[in-house]
C-alpha cells in the first residue's frame, strides 16, 4: 500500500505502508485507549467496518474450521459488550 502526503510547505512524498503496519497502529491505539479514548473508539470503529465489509461469499469460501473459530471469537467478544 502506498500513502501520499503533502504539507503546506510544498513538500510532498510517497511512502510504502504494509498491512502489518496498519494493524500494529490499530493495536497501539487500543493499547493507548485508557489515555486516549477517542483513538481507541476510532480504532474499534474501523475494525467493525472491516468486518462488515467482508462479503457473505468470502465467508462461505473460508474453511469450516476458520469460520467456526472466527464465530467463536466474535461471540466471546460480543458478550463483553
Amino acid at each position: 500500500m502506498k500513502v501520499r502526503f503533502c504539507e503546506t510547505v510544498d513538500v510532498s512524498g510517497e511512502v510504502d505502508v504494509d498491512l502489518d503496519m496498519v494493524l500494529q497502529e490499530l493495536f497501539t491505539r487500543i493499547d493507548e485507549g485508557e489515555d486516549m479514548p477517542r483513538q481507541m473508539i476510532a480504532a474499534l470503529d474501523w475494525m467493525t467496518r472491516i468486518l462488515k465489509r467482508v462479503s457473505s461469499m468470502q465467508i462461505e469460501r473460508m474453511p469450516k474450521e476458520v469460520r467456526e473459530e472466527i464465530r467463536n471469537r466474535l461471540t466471546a467478544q460480543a458478550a463483553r459488550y
Side-chain angles (χ1 to χ4, degrees):
M1 172 181 357
K2 294 194 185 282
V3 177
R4 291 180 185 246
F5 60 94
C6 183
E7 296 288 334
T8 56
V9 293
D10 295 329
V11 174
S12 63
E14 189 173 287
V15 295
D16 284 325
V17 179
D18 64 23
L19 181 58
D20 288 335
M21 294 168 80
V22 173
L23 293 174
Q24 185 57 50
E25 180 62 22
L26 289 173
F27 288 137
T28 299
R29 289 179 184 222
I30 294 295
D31 291 342
E32 294 173 348
E34 191 171 313
D35 297 326
M36 295 185 262
R38 280 187 173 169
Q39 287 192 353
M40 182 198 61
I41 291 169
L44 287 171
D45 179 53
W46 274 108
M47 286 184 245
T48 57
R49 287 174 188 247
I50 291 167
L51 288 170
K52 185 178 177 183
R53 187 82 184 254
V54 178
S55 72
S56 295
M57 185 184 313
Q58 289 170 314
I59 294 169
E60 290 171 8
R61 289 180 180 164
M62 292 178 188
K64 182 180 177 184
E65 315 79 54
V66 172
R67 288 193 318 266
E68 288 175 355
E69 179 62 25
I70 292 171
R71 182 176 43 252
N72 290 340
R73 289 180 188 182
L74 291 172
T75 300
Q77 295 310 309
R80 296 175 53 217
Y81 287 85

